[in-house]
Amino acid sequence: QVQLVESGGGLVQTGGSLRLSCTGSGRTFSNYAMGWFRQAPGKEREFVAASSWSGGSTAYADSVKGRFTISRDSAKNTVYLQMNSLKPEDTAVYYCAADPLNVELAHKVHYWGQGTQVTVSS
């Protein structure tokens, strides 16, 4: 059974930091693009960050550029999202995503994690 399991979410004050982790099991993801999406209450799921299978290419939503950093450790089947300078508008459930080709379009993502809550208080 293929699974993506996120961890690291929680409650943090404005300006604080969190690091999310997502570990895959059931297959190797070393040749998969991996990334992160988020969904706030009443809003659609939106792209946050993506890493190519090698980690050599990354992409970010404009809203998080300069504040969030995606990285991966293929040996551990894990992708990370370092989130700094957090704002209340970053509050959402954060989902890990993996796909053989592209993780910037939600409707094309092959595997999803169950999500982890991030709450930023003002």
Side-chain angles (χ1 to χ4, degrees):
Q1 181 182 0
V2 178
Q3 283 188 312
L4 296 173
V5 179
E6 302 99 333
S7 62
L11 174 64
V12 65
Q13 292 186 333
T14 297
S17 298
L18 284 174
R19 189 174 87 148
L20 305 183
S21 299
C22 169
T23 298
S25 62
R27 65 154 295 131
T28 179
F29 288 95
S30 60
N31 58 342
Y32 273 53
M34 298 186 76
W36 295 89
F37 286 73
R38 67 187 181 186
Q39 188 166 18
K43 295 188 176 181
E44 293 187 355
R45 191 169 297 191
E46 66 173 2
F47 168 74
V48 175
S51 170
S52 63
W53 66 271
S54 67
S57 178
T58 57
Y60 297 92
D62 288 343
S63 58
V64 306
K65 278 181 183 176
R67 300 187 299 122
F68 292 10
T69 302
I70 189 170
S71 61
R72 65 189 296 169
D73 184 337
S74 293
K76 295 182 178 179
N77 245 12
T78 298
V79 65
Y80 305 96
L81 186 68
Q82 177 66 43
M83 305 186 295
N84 299 327
S85 302
L86 282 161
K87 306 174 182 180
E89 51 263 45
D90 295 317
T91 295
V93 177
Y94 283 70
Y95 296 91
C96 179
D99 189 271
L101 296 177
N102 187 295
V103 289
E104 296 184 41
L105 299 174
H107 68 279
K108 292 190 174 182
V109 168
H110 196 73
Y111 295 113
W112 290 101
Q114 84 288 351
T116 185
Q117 177 70 47
V118 171
T119 303
V120 184
S121 64
S122 57

